[in-house]
Amino acid sequence: MKKSVLFLCSGNSARSQMAEAVLRQLAPEQFDAASAGTQPEGVDPRTLQVLEKAGIDTAGLASKAAAQFSDQHFDYVISLCDKAHQECKHWPGAGVIMAWDFPDPKASKDPLAFARTLQEISERLRLFVLVNSKQVSEQTKPLSAVEFYKALADETRLLSLLLIEQHGELCVCDLITALDESQPKISRHLAQLRKSGILQDRRQGQWVHYSLHPLLEPWMREVLHTTRLNNTPLLQLPTQRVTAAQGCSTGAA
């Protein structure tokens, strides 16, 4: 039987929205997730942008007042800022009340603040799912350093990851054109990266899109980012090909 989780923040515009969206995608068969704010402000567009870039579904996300849920029972009520915790630490009918205090990305001048907050919340939720799951699914098993570097040891997989890190999301046909490889070979390597937990896929009609998994360790993302920035000649031709392939209409894997 699924457990219910309510994420609370003051504005319900960034952190709690991220938590709701990530948990919905991470463990939909184990948890029902909702979010609300003590003083709802509307969803910040940057929240939606960073979620969509990470390949996380944003459908149905909307800013809601905490009072809207006051008569509902939740197995977990998790606040993501100290203000919300102080106002809701005696939530009626709550099974477990938890306080996760993450800095507000809206208050930061760091252009990557929203992306970093999403990474931090995703990591905390992965641990939350692990702790509260009787059976750990393959999706939530942490990727070891050895497995990660083995994935980078193949040229096709490395180039695919660097291109995906650069563009945020690419479909199979983009990578076929960029790397000048056959569809079976590209799909086989992408499947391996997806199985390892480095990539996630999203289907849209006949299109299959790949992006970095939202729960990929921050240091692993940094390795890919640094590798791409310091190997411009390696990616020059594939990047040009990707630009020419962006209008593709098929990407079946």
Side-chain angles (χ1 to χ4, degrees), residues 10 15 20 22 39 45 60 71 106 148 151 161 163 178 184 213 249:
S10 54
R15 291 163 288 183
E20 176 186 352
V22 170
Q39 296 177 325
D71 60 346
K106 295 183 298 180
F148 176 68
L161 285 171
L163 287 168
H213 198 286
S249 58

Side-chain angles (χ1 to χ4, degrees), residues 210-223:
Y210 285 86
S211 60
L212 296 181
H213 198 286
L215 299 184
L216 188 65
E217 294 279 2
W219 72 265
M220 295 179 183
R221 287 178 175 269
E222 187 62 32
V223 166

Side-chain angles (χ1 to χ4, degrees), residues 16 20 25 33 77 80 98 103 119 121 150 154 157 207 214:
S16 51
E20 176 186 352
Q25 184 152 318
V77 174
L80 290 99
M98 305 172 69
Q119 289 179 5
I121 289 175
K150 280 184 177 180
D154 178 89
R157 291 198 295 271
W207 294 26

Side-chain angles (χ1 to χ4, degrees), residues 177-192:
T177 302
L179 302 181
D180 194 23
E181 296 284 1
S182 67
Q183 183 268 332
K185 180 176 181 179
I186 293 295
S187 293
R188 182 174 69 253
H189 284 296
L190 291 174
Q192 291 176 6

